[in-house]
Amino acid sequence: MSASGGNKAIVAALGANLAIAVAKFVAFAFSGSSSMLAEGVHSLADSGNQGLLLVGGKKAKREATEEHPFGYGRERYIYSFLVSIVLFTVGGMFAIYEGYEKIKHPHDIEHWYWPVGVLVFAIIAESFSFRTAIRESNEIRGKQTWTQFIRRAKAPELPVVLLEDLGALVGLVLALCGVGIALATGDGVWDGIGTLCIGVLLIVIAIILAAETKSLLLGEAGGVDEVKKIRAAIVDGDTVTRVIHMRTLHLGPEELLVAAKIAVQSDDTAAEVASAINAAEARIREAVPIARVIYLEPDIYSAAAAAAGENPGKTPGGPEEASPEEASPDEASPGEAGPGEAGPAKGGPTES
C-alpha cells in the first residue's frame, strides 16, 4: 500500500467521522436517545483512531538510529494496535454500559426526527468513506478475497479503516432499528437493546483488529510470491548454486529483511564469493524492491548433512506445500534445496 493511498482513505474517514460525531451528539441532546449517545462516542473514537493512524504513519518515516538500526517502520503496527484498544474500551465498553443503563431505566425518545435524520445522514456519509476505502484497497488487493486481504495485508491502515467503516455502517443500521422500534412500540427498552448490539459489534471488530495487528507486531515473513522471487534471484547457477535455507521478516509494511545461507563452489576465492554475494543482493532488490536489509552467508553445501537434518527450506512465508521431490536434497532444484550445515563458512553475512 502506498502511503498516499492509505492516507487518502484515512483522511476521508476522519472527515466523515468528525461531521457525524457532531451531528449525533446534537441529536442526543434533543432526543435523549442512548443509541445516539453510543453512536456519537463511537464516531468520536473512530476520529481519534484515524488520528492515531496518521501519527503512526508519520513516525514510521523517521530515519534509522544507532539505538534503532532497523528504523521505525513498526510504528504503524503499534498505532494500529492502539486503535483496536481504543475501539474496544471507548467504543465497545461504553456502548454496552449505556445500553445496559437504558434497558434498566428506559425512557421515551423525544423529538424523534433528530435521531432519525442524523442516522440517515450518517449512513450516507459513512457510505462515501467506506467506498473510498474499498476503492483504495482494490488497487492493491489483487485476486485476494476480502478476508485474505484483511489477514495478509502488511500495511495495517486500509484493513483498519475498512473494518471501522463496516462496523460504523452496521452500527448505524442497528441504531436506526433500535430507535425505530422504540418509536413504533413506545418502549424505550428497544433503544437500549440497539445500543447494546452496537457495543457487542464494536468489541468483536476490536478483537479482530487486535489479533491481526498482533501478528504483524510479532513479525511476519514476506508473502509467498515475494519469497519465491527472492529464492530465484539469489541463485545464479555459477558461484551461488542454491539456497540452503532462508528467513524473511517485515521490519515495516514496506521494508523486508532477508537472511539466507547460500551454497557456493568449494574452490571459489574469497573475492569471487564476495562478488557473487553483491550480485545476488542486486538481483534480490530488483526482483523485490522492499527487500532493503539483506544478509547472505556463504557455505559449502553438504548433501549428507542435508539428508540427516530436518528440512528448513520451507521458509515462513514460503510455499506451504512441498512435494517429496522438492524436499529431497539430491533432486532439489537450485534455490529450493534443504539445509546444509556442514563445512566452514567462506566469509560472513553481508548487510545492505
Side-chain angles (χ1 to χ4, degrees):
M1 180 191 74
S2 66
S4 59
N7 283 345
K8 184 176 180 180
I10 295 172
V11 171
L14 177 60
N17 281 317
L18 285 174
I20 292 170
V22 172
K24 287 174 180 175
F25 282 125
V26 171
F28 164 71
F30 281 94
S31 67
S33 168
S34 66
S35 291
M36 294 309 305
L37 178 59
E39 275 296 309
V41 173
H42 174 196
S43 295
L44 197 61
D46 280 353
S47 300
N49 288 341
Q50 274 99 52
L52 287 173
L53 292 177
L54 291 173
V55 170
K58 183 176 181 180
K59 285 182 172 291
K61 294 178 181 178
R62 289 180 293 172
E63 295 292 332
T65 63
E66 185 175 347
E67 186 177 3
H68 297 93
F70 291 115
Y72 294 85
R74 291 195 179 183
E75 288 270 16
R76 290 165 68 177
Y77 300 152
I78 293 171
Y79 278 84
S80 296
F81 189 76
L82 289 177
V83 165
S84 66
I85 295 175
V86 171
L87 196 63
F88 180 89
T89 55
V90 179
M93 296 305 292
F94 177 82
I96 287 180
Y97 169 78
E98 184 63 24
Y100 170 77
E101 286 295 318
K102 187 60 183 285
I103 292 173
K104 190 175 180 180
H105 306 290
H107 61 79
D108 295 336
I109 296 176
E110 303 173 359
H111 306 292
W112 63 268
Y113 42 84
W114 276 101
V116 172
V118 167
L119 286 172
V120 171
F121 161 73
I123 289 174
I124 295 173
E126 284 288 0
S127 296
F128 278 107
S129 174
F130 194 37
R131 183 187 175 204
T132 301
I134 290 174
R135 184 180 301 170
E136 295 297 320
S137 299
N138 280 334
E139 293 182 2
I140 61 172
R141 184 167 62 96
K143 297 181 180 179
Q144 297 180 94
T145 65
W146 285 108
T147 301
Q148 290 172 336
F149 175 69
I150 296 295
R151 295 191 63 183
R152 298 178 183 176
K154 305 304 180 185
E157 290 85 357
L158 280 177
V160 168
V161 174
L162 278 168
L163 287 176
E164 276 191 350
D165 285 350
L166 177 61
L169 282 172
V170 175
L172 288 168
V173 172
L174 290 173
L176 189 58
C177 290
V179 171
I181 296 175
L183 291 172
T185 61
D187 187 354
V189 169
W190 288 102
D191 186 29
I193 293 174
T195 307
L196 202 62
C197 291
I198 292 169
V200 172
L201 171 70
L202 294 180
I203 288 176
V204 169
I205 291 177
I207 291 173
I208 294 173
L209 283 177
E212 296 304 321
T213 311
K214 172 193 169 186
S215 178
L216 293 170
L217 278 171
L218 288 175
E220 290 190 356
V224 173
D225 291 339
E226 292 170 336
V227 171
K228 286 181 178 178
K229 290 178 181 179
I230 292 170
R231 284 181 172 275
I234 290 176
V235 179
D236 62 5
D238 183 15
T239 304
V240 182
T241 58
R242 66 181 67 210
V243 176
I244 298 174
H245 61 77
M246 183 175 76
R247 297 290 182 267
T248 61
L249 178 70
H250 268 275
L251 300 175
E254 293 154 4
E255 188 171 12
L256 188 66
L257 181 148
V258 179
K261 178 170 283 193
I262 58 176
V264 298
Q265 303 288 359
S266 60
D267 57 351
D268 288 337
T269 65
E272 289 173 334
V273 171
S275 177
I277 288 175
N278 290 334
E281 289 180 354
R283 292 193 300 271
I284 292 172
R285 292 193 181 92
E286 183 178 358
V288 182
I290 67 170
R292 299 179 185 175
V293 181
I294 304 172
Y295 295 89
L296 299 180
E297 179 184 358
D299 202 351
I300 307 301
Y301 178 74
S302 169
E310 183 180 354
N311 176 20
K314 296 166 71 173
T315 304
E320 294 181 359
E321 297 181 359
S323 65
E325 290 79 10
E326 291 174 330
S328 171
D330 294 325
E331 300 179 11
S333 59
E336 296 182 350
E341 301 297 337
K346 288 178 62 178
T350 63
E351 179 182 2
S352 59

